[in-house]
Amino acid sequence: MKQYIQLIMLLLLPVVLHAQSLSGVSSNEVIPDHPRLLLLKAEEKILKDKIATEPLLKNLHEEIILECNRMLPLSVLTRNQQGRRILHTSREAIRRIFYLSYAFRLTGDGKYFKRAEKELLAVAALSDWNPSHFLDVAEMTAAVSVGYDWLYHELSENSRKEIASAIRSKGLQPSLEKQYNGWLAGNNNWNQVCNGGITFGALALYELQPEESAALVNRALESIRRPMTVYVNNGAYPEGYGYWIYGTTYNVLFINMLETIWKKDFGLCEAPGFLNTATFMQHMEGTAKVVNKLAVKSLERVTESKQANLQCFNFADNGSSTVINPVMYWFAGKTKNLSLIWRELDKLATLEVKKDPSLTKDRYLPMLLVWSKDVSFRNVKTPAERMYTGQGKSALAIMRTSWDSDHSIYLGVKGGTPNESHGHMDIGSFVMEADGIRWAMDFGAQDYHSLESKGIDLWNMKQESPRWDVFRYNNMAHNTLTINGKKQIIAGHAPIENSTEKRGQMSVSMDLTPLYETEVSSLKRGAGIINDEYVLIRDEVRTGNKEASVRWNLLTAATPELIDDHTILLSMDNRKLTIKANGTVSLKSKIWSTESPHDYDTSNAGTTFVGFEFDVPANTRQSIDVILIPGDKQPVMECSEIQLF
């Protein structure tokens, strides 16, 4: 009966989706034979020739083959649910099936086909792909569809039937059910991933169900335009570094599938800001690998970094470790801006030389080779822009003194609102690096399951939600201000203002008043790099009819020393940073513990809060300048001469 109902729903699919369809694909069109997803059969030779002539790609190809050899004796995946999710299983299925299918197509060795077929049949036979958490379904559908398509002509008729049936019943059909497809109306990574994953399935089965598949593709063409509107602010992605990789990779995979089959993108790349979003991502990564080595040992313990050659601006629910990012090669080819892969090539070379096992943990790593086949690695220049700004719900500014100097300064400043998917109460916060050390850091997210399993209503974004009691999520744990011990106001929003880039100064300011309006009448923060020598943070507080007790906070993994009420010295790996504060109020330098009183919070061992406390009387305007000075440098001009607001 269940199979009968599923069949009826699939037959009704064109009717269900007709009202949502944009002008898109037609079921009458002839599309390429298998393999048709991402890499056509005729393109295999192009890829082989590219690998043969480019040492970096040759080494990467060989690493993928070695990893496939390590997969051969592994047991097949099972339905291992953790809390709400089997997402880890779906992602490992992509990694195994994609790698093994790639290895077979490029080498012709039957052992990779046999192992991939074994995995395909195992996950196809699972009871379901966990539609209540639809990301699990989307990624499993992508995994199984790539294997079905890339290995189609080698699979037996029975294997094809079993795999195709699983794609239909466990992937496509649940996407039609209202209780599971709320992501269609979303504007975040869920929409991009789920539309991308389901489109993998629709295109893999196209000749078996042309009307149903065309309808699904047209539904996705309409729906995916919603999250693509978030790129409008100069390409800035509100959910941050890791979610950019997740959502944007699936968005590009979706576009790439359309272009491979229909030779057009149906106008998707015309979405404002979309083709500039790789520039946003490039700026999100901090100081160069060669200087980050100075802090690897200390920072790895704190951030749980697996690569630690770079740190990113990890606002919101993001870790600080950077990763290999295959989709940057697609953007480089699409925009003809080869500087987008300047750092990517360096990361790739470093991980290959080190034989770093994290290299082959990326489930879409074979796409780096596919997207590189038409990209030249010659004359890849260092990026030219040193400053980037983007508005929106996660408004931000990023500036640096150099892309490749051992002594560069990097500053990322966060504006916007906490009321954003995966958002934190981090408005006004910043990260700061100098001499290869991250001096001002951000915790990033805690593992979701560790909180959900303790009953924390983590996805409730209301002002009084338990989410904001999680130690890492509220403003007390970020490099911003806390006034009278209160949390930031969820409904508040602070855009980037007064962006300045001139000789001797890169800076921005923000009006933080909407985040603190119950405590003060006005609050402004400015931040910038001055003379390529030091960072200046300026805060101006205006009180109403009550006094304001202010905490100026900075999170660090360095060892702190209080020199006097205005001065704090940070030390790490034989480097140092001096924090000096001056203002029109009486200041007190402080060190606070990062240990949480809640049993559900993760350990923050190896970190410390440092900063200053001061009081602002009622009906008063006061300001404070804090400068962060690397090494033995001394400011060459008075801060009072510098305009930030």
Side-chain angles (χ1 to χ4, degrees):
M1 179 61 70
K2 182 177 180 181
Q3 291 179 337
Y4 177 77
I5 293 172
Q6 291 171 347
L7 177 61
I8 294 297
M9 294 190 71
L10 283 168
L11 291 174
L12 291 174
L13 179 56
V15 177
V16 174
L17 300 181
H18 176 73
Q20 302 180 46
S21 297
L22 292 174
S23 177
V25 306
S26 167
S27 60
N28 296 323
E29 296 180 51
V30 177
I31 68 172
D33 187 20
H34 300 283
R36 65 171 70 107
L37 300 179
L38 305 172
L39 183 68
L40 300 174
K41 185 174 183 178
E43 296 175 319
E44 291 171 353
K45 184 180 185 305
I46 299 173
L47 180 52
K48 289 179 182 179
D49 290 344
K50 181 73 172 183
I51 291 170
T53 58
E54 177 49 61
L56 270 178
L57 296 184
K58 183 175 183 293
N59 291 339
L60 179 59
H61 168 79
E62 291 173 353
E63 286 295 318
I64 291 174
I65 299 302
L66 287 173
E67 182 65 12
C68 288
N69 290 336
R70 289 188 283 267
M71 291 178 182
L72 295 177
L74 297 179
S75 300
V76 295
L77 293 166
T78 59
R79 194 186 184 285
N80 177 23
Q81 187 158 343
Q82 296 179 3
R84 301 169 55 203
R85 304 168 180 84
I86 64 165
L87 191 55
H88 56 289
T89 302
S90 298
R91 290 172 172 174
E92 179 62 7
I94 290 179
R95 194 180 77 93
R96 293 186 186 186
I97 295 169
F98 209 160
Y99 279 45
L100 291 163
S101 300
Y102 167 88
F104 175 70
R105 289 188 67 179
L106 271 288
T107 69
D109 193 326
K111 66 184 179 184
Y112 301 122
F113 162 73
K114 291 178 181 178
R115 183 61 184 81
E117 181 183 36
K118 186 177 180 181
E119 200 74 63
L120 281 165
L121 293 173
V123 294
L126 297 179
S127 59
D128 61 66
W129 294 343
N130 199 36
S132 63
H133 191 259
F134 207 84
L135 292 178
D136 309 12
V137 174
E139 296 221 54
M140 190 68 85
T141 303
V144 177
S145 299
V146 166
Y148 175 84
D149 177 66
W150 282 22
L151 306 176
Y152 182 86
H153 293 292
E154 284 71 34
L155 291 169
S156 68
E157 185 176 352
N158 285 338
S159 290
R160 285 185 207 159
K161 287 181 179 179
E162 288 184 38
I163 297 166
S165 176
I167 293 172
R168 284 195 192 98
S169 63
K170 295 165 187 173
L172 306 186
Q173 186 273 327
S175 82
L176 304 177
E177 299 180 31
K178 189 175 181 180
Q179 61 181 318
Y180 301 136
N181 66 13
W183 44 266
L184 285 168
N187 67 344
N188 58 25
N189 70 86
W190 273 69
N191 182 305
Q192 296 167 303
V193 174
C194 294
N195 273 313
I198 293 303
T199 300
F200 269 101
L203 294 177
L205 303 187
Y206 205 91
E207 69 276 10
L208 299 180
Q209 47 171 57
E211 292 187 3
E212 294 86 349
S213 288
L216 281 168
V217 173
N218 286 330
R219 180 183 73 170
L221 271 170
E222 178 181 7
S223 174
I224 206 167
R225 296 177 198 270
R226 293 182 174 91
M228 292 187 74
T229 62
V230 305
Y231 297 103
V232 69
N233 295 298
N234 199 21
Y237 194 74
E239 296 178 278
Y241 183 87
Y243 288 97
W244 184 97
I245 294 176
Y246 195 25
T248 305
T249 295
Y250 268 93
N251 210 131
V252 167
L253 288 166
F254 177 77
I255 293 170
N256 199 179
M257 286 188 286
L258 300 180
E259 291 180 321
T260 302
I261 292 174
W262 285 285
K263 310 305 178 187
K264 58 183 179 180
D265 65 12
F266 297 87
L268 292 177
C269 289
E270 297 172 10
F274 180 68
L275 289 182
N276 197 49
T277 192
T279 299
F280 154 79
M281 193 59 169
Q282 187 173 53
H283 281 273
M284 287 284 284
E285 297 189 342
T287 52
K289 167 202 64 180
V290 64
V291 289
N292 266 284
K293 287 181 180 178
L294 296 170
V296 165
K297 185 174 181 181
S298 298
L299 291 177
E300 189 171 31
R301 170 172 50 82
V302 174
T303 64
E304 299 176 355
S305 168
K306 293 181 179 177
Q307 289 185 191
N309 33 301
L310 291 173
Q311 300 244 355
C312 69
F313 183 9
N314 61 314
F315 66 81
D317 281 351
N318 291 278
S320 65
S321 175
T322 61
V323 294
I324 291 289
N325 196 352
V327 77
M328 294 293 280
Y329 293 82
W330 182 89
F331 279 104
K334 192 73 170 178
T335 64
K336 309 303 179 187
N337 178 8
L338 296 183
S339 71
L340 291 174
I341 58 172
W342 174 78
R343 179 103 15 143
E344 290 300 319
L345 292 175
D346 189 44
K347 287 192 287 186
L348 184 58
T350 301
L351 291 177
E352 287 183 351
V353 168
K354 291 166 58 180
K355 301 298 180 184
D356 193 314
S358 69
L359 177 64
T360 50
K361 297 305 179 186
D362 188 309
R363 59 196 181 280
Y364 279 114
L365 190 62
M367 288 307 300
L368 191 157
L369 293 120
V370 173
W371 284 326
S372 294
K373 69 182 186 299
D374 300 317
V375 176
S376 172
F377 287 3
R378 292 178 172 81
N379 301 316
V380 176
K381 297 180 180 180
T382 307
E385 296 179 353
R386 296 194 302 152
M387 184 171 178
Y388 173 92
T389 59
Q391 300 289 4
K393 286 192 170 184
S394 294
L396 79 164
I398 302 171
M399 53 203 88
R400 70 184 73 221
T401 58
S402 171
W403 284 91
D404 51 13
S405 169
D406 289 1
H407 303 289
S408 61
I409 297 175
Y410 176 83
L411 177 67
V413 185
K414 176 70 165 52
T417 176
N419 192 20
E420 165 58 25
S421 175
H422 296 285
H424 288 195
M425 290 179 172
D426 59 1
I427 314 309
S429 190
F430 63 94
V431 297
M432 182 266 183
E433 298 175 353
D435 297 331
I437 305 292
R438 174 153 293 188
W439 299 104
M441 59 180 287
D442 192 305
F443 281 129
Q446 181 174 336
D447 175 70
Y448 301 148
H449 178 63
S450 71
L451 294 167
E452 293 167 343
S453 63
K454 298 289 181 65
I456 303 299
D457 189 6
L458 189 57
W459 307 109
N460 178 350
M461 304 295 284
K462 294 180 180 178
Q463 184 71 44
E464 302 304 322
S465 168
R467 176 183 179 87
W468 309 119
D469 293 327
V470 175
F471 189 80
R472 294 186 172 194
Y473 283 51
N474 60 54
N475 45 288
M476 285 75 117
H478 288 89
N479 302 331
T480 187
L481 302 172
T482 298
I483 300 180
N484 298 330
K486 300 296 182 62
K487 296 171 183 172
Q488 289 185 339
I489 298 171
I490 291 299
H493 183 269
I496 298 296
E497 300 175 347
N498 300 313
S499 177
T500 300
E501 185 176 9
K502 62 183 181 181
R503 184 179 179 85
Q505 181 176 341
M506 292 180 284
S507 64
V508 294
S509 67
M510 295 167 285
D511 184 351
L512 302 181
T513 308
L515 284 302
Y516 299 91
E517 60 187 5
T518 60
E519 307 305 312
V520 294
S521 60
S522 175
L523 177 57
K524 295 181 179 180
R525 166 162 279 196
I529 301 175
I530 309 301
N531 292 328
D532 288 353
E533 294 178 336
Y534 64 94
V535 167
L536 169 63
I537 308 293
R538 174 174 294 160
D539 295 300
E540 182 185 87
V541 183
R542 295 190 185 193
T543 53
N545 294 326
K546 65 178 181 179
E547 182 182 67
S549 177
V550 183
R551 169 173 163 173
W552 190 105
N553 196 64
L554 185 147
L555 170 66
T556 187
T559 301
E561 179 184 357
L562 302 184
I563 304 301
D564 55 41
D565 284 346
H566 295 253
T567 311
I568 303 169
L569 180 66
L570 300 182
S571 302
M572 180 184 283
D573 296 328
N574 299 316
R575 299 297 175 104
K576 64 182 181 179
L577 180 86
T578 303
I579 305 174
K580 296 184 70 69
N582 290 291
T584 55
V585 292
S586 177
L587 299 167
K588 181 68 175 177
S589 61
K590 300 281 289 188
I591 297 175
W592 299 276
S593 171
T594 57
E595 184 177 351
S596 171
H598 306 129
D599 63 359
Y600 54 74
D601 284 313
T602 192
S603 171
N604 301 311
T607 62
T608 309
F609 293 131
V610 300
F612 305 93
E613 287 183 342
F614 58 94
D615 295 325
V616 182
N619 301 306
T620 304
R621 182 182 70 179
Q622 306 283 8
S623 64
I624 176 175
D625 284 342
V626 179
I627 56 176
L628 286 67
I629 313 165
D632 298 318
K633 297 176 183 176
Q634 294 297 324
V636 297
M637 65 186 298
E638 290 295 327
C639 291
S640 59
E641 301 175 20
I642 301 167
Q643 298 294 317
L644 293 184
F645 303 134

